[in-house]
Amino acid sequence: MIVLKFGGTSVANAENISKTIQIVTNKSKEDKLAVVVSAFSGVTDLLILAGKTASSKDKNYKDLVSQIEKKHKDAIDELVPLREQSEIIDTINSNINHLKTLLDGSYLLGELSNRTADIVAGFGELLSSQIIAVALRQKVNNSTFKDSRELIITNSNFGKASVDFAVTNQLIADYFKSITNQVVLLPGFIASSADGNTTTLGRGGSDYTAAIIAAAAKANVLEIWTDVNGMFTANPKVVKQAQPIETISYQEAMELSHFGAKVLYPPTIQPVLKDSIPIFIKNTFEPEVYGTLISNNPNVSSNPIKGISHIDTIALLTLEGSGMIGVAGSSKRLFEVLSNESINVIFITQASSEHSICIGILNTDAARAKIAIDKAFELEIAQNKIDPCSIENELCIVALVGESMKNHQGISGKMFSTLGKNNVNIRAIAQGASERNISVVINEKDVKKALNTLHERFFEDNTKQLNLFVMGVGNVGEKFIDQIAQQKKFLKENLKINLRIIALANSRKMVFDEEGINLKNWKTAVENGEKANVENFIAKVNDLNLRNSIFVDITANYDIAGIYDKFLSQNIAVVTCNKIACSSEYNNYKTLKNLSRKYNAPFLFETNVGAGLPIIDTLKHLIASGDKVNKIQAVLSGSLNFIFNNFSDSYNFHDVVKEAGVQGFTEPDPKIDLSGVDVARKILILIRESGYKMDIEEIENNCFLPQECMETMNNEDFFKSLTKHDDHFNKLLAEAKSKDSRIKFVAKFDNGKASVGLQFIPKESPFYNLEGKDNIVEFYTDRYVDQPLIIKGAGAGAAVTASGIFADVIRIGNV
């Protein structure tokens, strides 16, 4: 015999019930079946609400009953032929009238006893099973209905009754031996006490009903039919990459179901475990899918972790004090108090010093638990031997589960380091001696990030998902997005990095998509986005709280450079080509670096100097290896190098500057480049990264622009002033020719002093042949004394800058 149980979604409506009946019909051709069904989806909640509404003297309970009645009669109309409806409608009417009577009484009394609440809550399964039994007979003639209350006997603990297995097992065994029907259909969830009162087995109790019947009837297998393809490695609603688990042990399944794997009611396994009756978790809507097999002999996997689960809305209670050290019975007293209050303890950890005990319970029980505990220990509290019980709310428990974990070293270390890298604070830790479970208590707001991070670490072949929040989608930004779109597949297959752009913003609009913005039509998405607002942007990034989050600044905006601390302090990495932050006041620069270290949030700005050239990265390696930078000489402006390389007698200064802007070599405000401010910022960043303290005011800027050019307020006036002072620039060109030299804008750092300015470079200098938009940097260090370390290459342009930003993102992915 096979026992099948169909959950609420499987019998949610006539369409789903038809699928259920088809499954039962097909299986009945080969095996005898006991079929347990839940209430129609949502009906138990309506019944409980109706009871509460009636007991609170609210007549709206009648509307709720009408909804319940209509839902079931609509199902009859669709499932049962008209000629067969009379008898089942009479049965449903009788049950609905009984329900109305109970609720009318509750309304008049203004109360709802636990006994009456059980009867009310049980109507859902009773109504659904009676209707489905009649509908099933249209397909399977040799089928019958049996009320579970006649077979499962419990105590009178209304709400979650305990089964009298000695009596129950005998009743079930005798019944199934006595019948010849191919299919028996039974309601789940409900039972009866020894004196005949209706009791219930707890929410999710239909699974339990099926397990009790399977064990007592010695079934070959128990099948739990639901709306998912078995048990998953994590909750697929929270972790999109969660995978079905093909086989799992009873103990692993119990651990996962206890920690919130809602596909299986936790007590279900216990009745079938003794006789090793396998359990299949199957999908009503995809019956051909294998599902999950729970048995004593699951397939051995190379991965010691079978699943990751969690329990929401947990409170952590801590009892601590010197009065507990070496005092026998403290723990016993604590747990007796909780037991007397019928409070279930989900999580326990105790310091080896015996100074404190932490317990995890449901949030709803926390206030009551504190009152009871403080009362029980009031003498010790009054004597200052024990502190009053403390409560932390809005927590959750996350658990790694796996039978083979005990044979693998370092699982807990990987778990803790993975959470730590994503700034998930662990409040408490527990691991049983069986090593089948490692549990941690974390903030509830971090649960999605924690589950996804751990799943990525243990189940996704170490593929790391990077979630990018990009500010600035101009020339460089567009190239950056294009490069991601082009390389996305390569990165995932070869570097195990899954890049997603979650947000894009310009000065006018911003758009967010938690699942990742479609890069084929990102421009349309931005244009149709909401109004750009920096504070709202920050708030949305924080609210999403995604793992491996990276803020990418592709602007030259002062305000945007001022918000990096908001991200770094939330463990969100920052990648930027914006030089303003790193060249700002020294204390601000150090603050950002310190935040990066404190919150384990990378702060990368390779493109601040030399666009895509590995200048800063090389410098960092020099310093990290113990070298010391003594002197720097560099041409750091690709735009200025382009301008002076192309400035000639036939191509005036104004036109060359215009062309540099068109090709994207200058900042939006070209005066930043030509004034030397941009170069000063770059050399300042190199000086700071070399370990020296300096502010930009200490750098001598020998500006070659006439004062009138410097005083212009907009680009139009600036270009007019360049034309006006054409003679000034021609004189510079003439002087360079007379000295058989080329004009370069050079940055210097030597002996603690720094300067930037034009120089006439002779032919023998390595700077002389610097072509196009190239940059060059010479590092003189303790190791590179006579011959400097030279880095040379393209130092401006949208594509190379974008590639530098991209490289920084990849660096974070490889950490």
Side-chain angles (χ1 to χ4, degrees):
M1 188 181 84
I2 296 176
V3 177
L4 288 75
K5 179 265 174 178
F6 291 90
T9 51
S10 299
V11 294
N13 50 49
E15 181 184 355
N16 292 4
I17 292 169
S18 296
K19 289 182 171 66
T20 294
I21 290 173
Q22 189 59 53
I23 292 168
V24 173
T25 302
N26 293 341
K27 285 187 170 288
S28 69
K29 295 172 183 177
E30 298 180 4
D31 297 284
K32 284 193 171 184
L33 308 177
V35 180
V36 177
V37 296
S38 296
F40 290 178
S41 182
V43 167
T44 303
D45 288 335
L46 284 174
L47 287 164
I48 293 171
L49 179 59
K52 290 179 179 177
T53 304
S55 64
S56 61
K57 293 282 191 177
D58 184 345
K59 288 185 177 180
N60 285 324
Y61 75 89
K62 294 183 178 181
D63 293 334
L64 296 171
V65 173
S66 295
Q67 288 181 45
I68 294 167
E69 182 177 8
K70 184 178 185 303
K71 191 178 184 74
H72 290 88
K73 288 187 174 177
D74 286 348
I76 292 171
D77 286 340
E78 294 187 52
L79 292 167
V80 182
L82 188 61
R83 65 180 183 277
E84 304 281 344
Q85 289 186 9
S86 177
E87 184 178 347
I88 184 60
I89 287 176
D90 287 344
T91 302
I92 298 304
N93 284 338
S94 175
N95 283 313
I96 292 294
N97 288 335
H98 186 193
L99 173 62
K100 288 177 179 177
T101 300
L102 291 170
L103 294 174
D104 289 344
S106 179
Y107 175 80
L108 292 171
L109 292 170
E111 67 176 19
L112 184 71
S113 68
N114 290 337
R115 174 177 163 182
T116 303
D118 258 12
I119 300 172
V120 169
F123 272 106
E125 276 70 16
L126 199 57
L127 292 167
S128 70
S129 60
Q130 289 168 337
I131 293 170
I132 295 169
V134 174
L136 178 62
R137 278 202 297 271
Q138 314 307 310
K139 296 283 187 178
V140 183
N141 197 32
N142 190 19
S143 63
T144 188
F145 172 81
K146 181 66 175 177
D147 192 334
S148 301
R149 292 176 295 185
E150 298 173 12
L151 300 177
I152 300 177
I153 308 303
T154 69
N155 62 11
S156 295
N157 183 16
F158 298 105
K160 194 175 183 181
S162 296
V163 176
D164 183 338
F165 280 101
V167 176
T168 296
N169 289 345
Q170 191 62 52
L171 286 171
I172 293 172
D174 291 346
Y175 173 74
F176 281 98
K177 285 177 184 176
S178 68
I179 62 166
T180 59
N181 299 90
Q182 191 69 8
V183 180
V184 179
L185 196 131
L186 310 98
F189 183 53
I190 55 174
S192 65
S193 63
D195 53 1
N197 290 308
T198 296
T199 57
T200 60
L201 302 176
R203 293 302 297 267
S206 291
D207 286 358
Y208 195 30
T209 301
I212 293 167
I213 292 170
K218 307 298 181 186
N220 296 323
V221 66
L222 166 61
E223 295 182 358
I224 307 291
W225 289 80
T226 180
D227 58 354
V228 292
N229 293 330
M231 299 188 82
F232 278 68
T233 49
N235 185 343
K237 293 179 180 177
V238 179
V239 181
K240 301 299 182 185
Q241 290 77 29
Q243 310 150 12
I245 303 170
E246 193 170 277
T247 63
I248 190 170
S249 72
Y250 291 115
Q251 290 76 16
E252 289 169 330
M254 277 194 284
E255 292 279 2
L256 284 175
S257 61
H258 172 71
F259 281 96
K262 294 179 174 57
V263 72
L264 189 67
Y265 182 54
T268 302
I269 295 168
Q270 199 59 49
V272 299
L273 178 60
K274 180 169 64 72
D275 294 319
S276 298
I277 297 170
I279 303 173
F280 253 115
I281 311 294
K282 301 281 286 181
N283 189 344
T284 303
F285 309 102
E286 295 184 60
E288 70 284 352
V289 175
Y290 183 81
T292 298
L293 173 62
I294 304 170
S295 69
N296 271 330
N297 300 299
N299 293 340
V300 178
S301 170
S302 58
N303 189 348
I305 309 299
K306 271 295 173 71
I308 307 165
S309 200
H310 73 289
I311 305 176
D312 289 324
T313 61
I314 294 297
L316 195 64
L317 271 63
T318 303
L319 189 67
E320 64 180 331
S322 58
M324 295 172 63
I325 300 174
V327 178
S330 295
S331 299
K332 175 177 178 291
R333 288 171 62 193
L334 173 62
F335 293 116
E336 275 185 350
V337 169
L338 297 171
S339 176
N340 292 337
E341 293 291 324
S342 299
I343 294 173
N344 184 39
V345 176
I346 302 168
F347 177 100
I348 306 168
T349 183
Q350 181 172 13
S352 57
S353 65
E354 301 181 31
H355 182 261
S356 66
I357 302 175
C358 288
I359 57 171
I361 63 174
L362 293 175
N363 268 343
T364 51
D365 295 329
R368 186 158 50 95
K370 174 176 170 55
I371 292 169
I373 293 169
D374 286 349
K375 184 175 180 181
F377 289 89
E378 61 183 346
L379 179 60
E380 290 89 342
I381 292 171
Q383 295 173 343
N384 293 321
K385 292 181 178 180
I386 293 178
D387 297 332
C389 175
S390 65
I391 301 176
E392 292 180 73
N393 290 305
E394 297 180 350
L395 303 174
C396 75
I397 299 173
V398 172
L400 288 186
V401 173
E403 190 74 41
S404 302
M405 283 165 51
K406 58 191 172 188
N407 300 319
H408 287 74
Q409 295 180 340
I411 298 291
S412 57
K414 289 178 183 177
M415 181 185 191
F416 303 148
S417 66
T418 300
L419 294 175
K421 284 179 181 178
N422 274 275
N423 203 35
V424 177
N425 186 35
I426 297 173
R427 297 293 305 111
I429 302 166
Q431 181 173 11
S434 68
E435 298 185 41
R436 192 180 292 126
N437 173 311
I438 304 173
S439 305
V440 296
V441 178
I442 64 172
N443 286 327
E444 204 164 54
K445 68 179 179 65
D446 289 327
V447 66
K448 184 175 182 179
K449 182 198 286 188
L451 291 173
N452 278 277
T453 300
L454 291 172
H455 195 274
E456 186 176 80
R457 179 66 181 84
F458 289 104
F459 289 103
E460 297 174 38
D461 195 24
N462 280 335
T463 296
K464 181 180 283 189
Q465 181 173 286
L466 303 183
N467 297 299
L468 310 186
F469 300 85
V470 181
M471 187 84 78
V473 291
N475 200 10
V476 177
E478 183 173 348
K479 295 290 185 184
F480 174 67
I481 296 167
D482 289 345
Q483 289 173 9
I484 289 178
Q486 179 184 326
Q487 290 297 104
K488 188 175 174 64
K489 183 178 179 182
F490 173 87
L491 291 173
K492 193 168 185 179
E493 291 177 354
N494 294 276
L495 298 184
K496 303 300 181 185
I497 294 174
N498 180 22
L499 273 182
R500 303 192 312 166
I501 295 182
I502 305 300
L504 290 170
N506 57 26
S507 59
R508 298 177 297 103
K509 297 280 190 175
M510 64 183 191
V511 60
F512 281 76
D513 187 337
E514 188 175 351
E515 301 305 317
I517 293 169
N518 186 341
L519 299 187
K520 290 181 180 179
N521 57 5
W522 65 268
K523 291 183 181 179
T524 303
V526 172
E527 285 306 308
N528 293 332
E530 62 185 287
K531 185 178 179 181
N533 180 287
V534 173
E535 290 181 359
N536 290 346
F537 188 95
I538 296 169
K540 288 200 172 192
V541 175
N542 289 334
D543 288 345
L544 284 173
N545 197 23
L546 299 177
R547 68 193 186 280
N548 305 322
S549 292
I550 305 173
F551 173 65
V552 183
D553 178 13
I554 315 180
T555 75
N557 188 288
Y558 277 89
D559 293 335
I560 304 305
I563 64 174
Y564 296 170
D565 60 324
K566 303 290 192 303
F567 294 113
L568 294 171
S569 61
Q570 294 298 317
N571 183 241
I572 296 167
V574 173
V575 170
T576 179
C577 62
N578 187 343
K579 294 174 278 292
I580 293 170
C582 289
S583 60
S584 63
E585 184 183 81
Y586 182 80
N587 288 339
N588 181 61
Y589 161 81
K590 289 301 292 183
T591 295
L592 295 177
K593 300 282 279 189
N594 290 336
L595 286 173
S596 174
R597 282 190 290 270
K598 180 178 179 180
Y599 293 100
N600 195 30
F603 176 37
L604 301 182
F605 42 90
E606 183 66 67
T607 49
N608 276 196
V609 182
L613 294 176
I615 297 172
I616 293 176
D617 193 51
T618 301
L619 178 55
K620 285 179 178 178
H621 287 307
L622 286 175
I623 301 303
S625 67
D627 205 353
K628 181 185 177 184
V629 175
N630 301 309
K631 179 180 175 182
I632 303 170
Q633 288 193 135
V635 172
L636 294 174
S637 175
S639 54
L640 283 175
N641 199 45
F642 174 88
I643 290 166
F644 284 113
N645 279 339
N646 288 278
F647 179 33
S648 66
D649 293 332
S650 58
Y651 201 7
N652 67 38
F653 193 76
H654 168 277
D655 293 344
V656 177
V657 175
K658 274 279 190 183
E659 181 61 25
V662 169
Q663 294 198 28
F665 298 152
T666 65
E667 298 287 344
D669 178 2
K671 189 165 59 177
I672 295 174
D673 294 282
L674 273 70
S675 67
V677 170
D678 188 60
V679 175
R681 288 173 179 165
K682 290 176 180 179
I683 191 67
L684 176 64
I685 292 168
L686 293 182
I687 292 166
R688 288 175 171 179
E689 289 296 297
S690 299
Y692 295 93
K693 181 179 179 181
M694 184 175 284
D695 276 308
I696 200 161
E697 294 80 11
E698 299 173 63
I699 298 174
E700 182 183 349
N701 186 350
N702 300 306
C703 182
F704 68 89
L705 288 179
Q707 188 64 30
E708 184 180 344
C709 297
M710 290 295 297
E711 292 173 354
T712 56
M713 302 302 292
N714 55 61
N715 284 358
E716 183 180 355
D717 290 343
F718 177 70
F719 280 108
K720 286 180 181 177
S721 71
L722 293 184
T723 302
K724 182 178 179 180
H725 292 279
D726 201 37
D727 287 345
H728 168 77
F729 301 114
N730 288 334
K731 285 179 182 177
L732 292 174
L733 182 61
E735 185 177 355
K737 284 184 176 182
S738 68
K739 295 180 177 179
D740 199 18
S741 300
R742 300 179 77 174
I743 303 172
K744 303 293 178 185
F745 197 88
V746 180
K748 283 186 175 182
F749 170 72
D750 190 10
N751 197 28
K753 294 183 178 181
S755 65
V756 297
L758 283 186
Q759 288 189 19
F760 299 106
I761 304 297
K763 287 183 177 180
E764 60 270 19
S765 169
F767 291 7
Y768 183 86
N769 291 315
L770 198 63
E771 300 296 337
K773 57 184 182 295
D774 284 0
N775 281 188
I776 186 170
V777 180
E778 294 180 337
F779 289 117
Y780 292 84
T781 72
D782 285 353
R783 295 174 188 157
Y784 295 90
V785 180
D786 298 320
Q787 296 296 325
L789 173 63
I790 299 175
I791 302 169
K792 178 182 176 183
V800 292
T801 303
S803 69
I805 297 167
F806 200 168
D808 274 349
V809 170
I810 300 306
R811 283 188 183 93
I812 294 173
N814 288 327
V815 172

